[in-house]
């Protein structure tokens, strides 16, 4: 499996995202993903599925040590003390002693970043997380967080797909040796899959729209992606992207779609995006 190495973390480039999957579906699909080759599972306290994800991991025939497991701490819980307690509660729900990557899910507008970064480092020092990182951080947050952190930050997980230019964030991640992990990497299909550019590349390479777009992600230096699907066949298909290559012109034609600059995930608690 192709991995992205970022500040000491070997992150499998294609992971299984679990946002919106809950209960038996989450358990069954996580086990299915692992049994079909995935080694990177992404969850969060806010997704309300950590117990089910933990059951899925135990149901799969894959040893825990071979799985790269990420969880995230929800933004109101990132004060020093709260953050550690939140991650311990996540570990209890997941039924594991550690996660491979613990992320601050969103920056807080009220809790000082220095407190949160100190707490995040504490989880690593205590062995609750093998690596630490952030999510939905802007350039300013990345600069501040990297300068405050005792341990290097392994990634910034952000929305990224061909309809959203993230060059500035990607450059900042690369500058600090961090991976960019793309969530909503497929823009949930729809208009992206229907675009002429994607359709042309599907014909050229004999691949599905999802495979073309996921290949675009993992072919970029330092980028990993965590697509979610409820469809067992598509989950398997999404991983079959390491046996073909997009040419530079193919990559450029998909990147050019970003002039639309369309973001799916924007909330009242979001930062001011770069
Ligand atoms: C609100 C959750 C965004 C993706 O983790």
């Amino acid at each position: 499996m192709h991995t992205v190495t970022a500040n000491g973390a070997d992150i499998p480039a294609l992971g299984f995202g679990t946002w919106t999957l809950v209960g038996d579906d989450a358990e069954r699909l996580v086990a299915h993903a692992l049994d079909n080759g995935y080694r990177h599972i992404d969850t969060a306290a806010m997704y309300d599925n950590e117990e089910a994800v933990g059951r899925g991991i135990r149901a799969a025939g894959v040893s825990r040590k071979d799985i790269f497991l990420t969880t995230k701490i929800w933004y109101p819980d990132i004060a020093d003390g709260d953050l550690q307690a939140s991650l311990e509660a996540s570990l209890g729900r997941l039924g594991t002693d550690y996660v491979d990557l613990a992320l601050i899910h969103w920056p807080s507008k009220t809790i000082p970043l220095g407190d949160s970064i100190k707490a995040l480092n504490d989880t690593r020092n205590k062995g609750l997380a093998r690596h630490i990182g952030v999510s939905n951080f802007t350039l300013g947050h990345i600069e501040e967080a990297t300068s405050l952190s005792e341990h290097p930050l392994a990634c910034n997980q952000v929305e990224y797909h061909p309809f959203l230019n993230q060059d500035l964030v990607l450059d900042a991640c690369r500058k600090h040796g961090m991976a960019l992990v793309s969530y909503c990497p497929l823009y949930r299909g729809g208009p992206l899959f229907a675009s002429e550019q994607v359709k042309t590349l599907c014909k050229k390479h004999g691949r599905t729209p999802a495979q073309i777009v996921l290949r675009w992600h993992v072919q970029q230096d330092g980028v990993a992606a965590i697509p979610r699907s409820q469809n067992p066949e598509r989950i398997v298909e999404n991983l079959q992207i390491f046996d073909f290559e997009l040419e530079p012109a193919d990559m450029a034609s998909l990147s050019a779609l970003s002039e639309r600059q369309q973001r799916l995930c924007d909330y009242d608690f979001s930062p001011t995006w770069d």
Side-chain angles (χ1 to χ4, degrees):
M1 157 81 70
H2 177 73
T3 58
V4 173
T5 299
N7 283 330
D10 290 323
I11 308 173
L14 211 280
F16 184 61
T18 66
W19 187 23
T20 76
L21 301 178
V22 288
D24 291 348
D25 277 352
E27 176 180 343
R28 181 175 51 83
L29 294 169
V30 164
H32 173 75
L34 290 169
D35 285 336
N36 284 280
Y38 284 76
R39 292 296 178 267
H40 172 180
I41 302 291
D42 181 90
T43 182
M46 179 268 182
Y47 299 169
D48 201 19
N49 66 8
E50 289 176 314
E51 285 186 7
V53 168
R55 287 197 301 273
I57 288 173
R58 287 187 293 283
V62 180
S63 160
R64 169 69 187 91
K65 69 176 172 38
D66 294 327
I67 300 169
F68 191 94
L69 176 62
T70 300
T71 197
K72 313 182 200 80
I73 300 120
W74 193 229
Y75 73 90
D77 302 326
I78 60 173
D80 192 12
D82 292 350
L83 185 150
Q84 295 93 322
S86 172
L87 184 57
E88 278 174 10
S90 286
L91 295 179
R93 288 189 291 270
L94 287 161
T96 186
D97 294 338
Y98 69 95
V99 284
D100 297 276
L101 184 56
L103 304 181
I104 293 176
H105 204 153
W106 290 82
S108 165
K109 295 184 183 183
T110 54
I111 299 166
L113 187 54
D115 290 5
S116 304
I117 293 296
K118 175 180 170 289
L120 191 63
N121 276 275
D122 194 30
T123 66
R124 178 165 161 168
N125 289 332
K126 286 181 173 146
L128 307 179
R130 289 180 55 231
H131 302 281
I132 54 174
V134 296
S135 182
N136 296 299
F137 270 37
T138 63
L139 302 186
H141 292 123
I142 293 171
E143 289 307 319
E144 192 182 346
T146 51
S147 73
L148 291 166
S149 193
E150 169 196 352
H151 295 291
L153 300 174
C155 86
N156 185 20
Q157 186 183 115
V158 293
E159 179 177 343
Y160 187 36
H161 42 69
F163 281 168
L164 183 64
N165 185 311
Q166 289 283 30
D167 285 353
L168 294 175
V169 175
L170 192 47
D171 284 350
C173 286
R174 286 176 180 153
K175 174 178 152 196
H176 292 288
M178 298 163 71
L180 185 156
V181 178
S182 314
Y183 72 79
C184 295
L186 299 173
Y187 192 74
R188 302 185 184 140
L192 176 58
F193 287 5
S195 69
E196 280 314 311
Q197 288 85 337
V198 170
K199 285 203 270 187
T200 301
L201 294 177
C202 288
K203 276 198 208 111
K204 176 173 171 181
H205 294 279
R207 298 288 170 150
T208 66
Q211 288 174 325
I212 293 293
V213 175
L214 292 171
R215 181 70 209 181
W216 173 84
H217 283 275
V218 302
Q219 219 171 288
Q220 296 173 62
D221 221 19
V223 176
I226 48 166
R228 184 219 62 150
S229 173
Q230 306 219 42
N231 178 312
E233 287 79 40
R234 282 201 207 112
I235 290 171
V236 174
E237 170 191 299
N238 286 348
L239 194 59
Q240 293 166 348
I241 57 167
F242 297 102
D243 58 348
F244 78 107
E245 228 173 285
L246 296 174
E247 291 170 18
D250 302 336
M251 293 291 288
S253 80
L254 292 178
S255 298
L257 290 169
S258 69
E259 66 186 16
R260 297 170 67 135
Q261 203 60 3
Q262 282 175 340
R263 195 179 280 279
L264 291 165
C265 302
D266 206 6
Y267 309 100
D268 54 359
F269 54 80
S270 297
T272 305
W273 302 111
D274 300 298

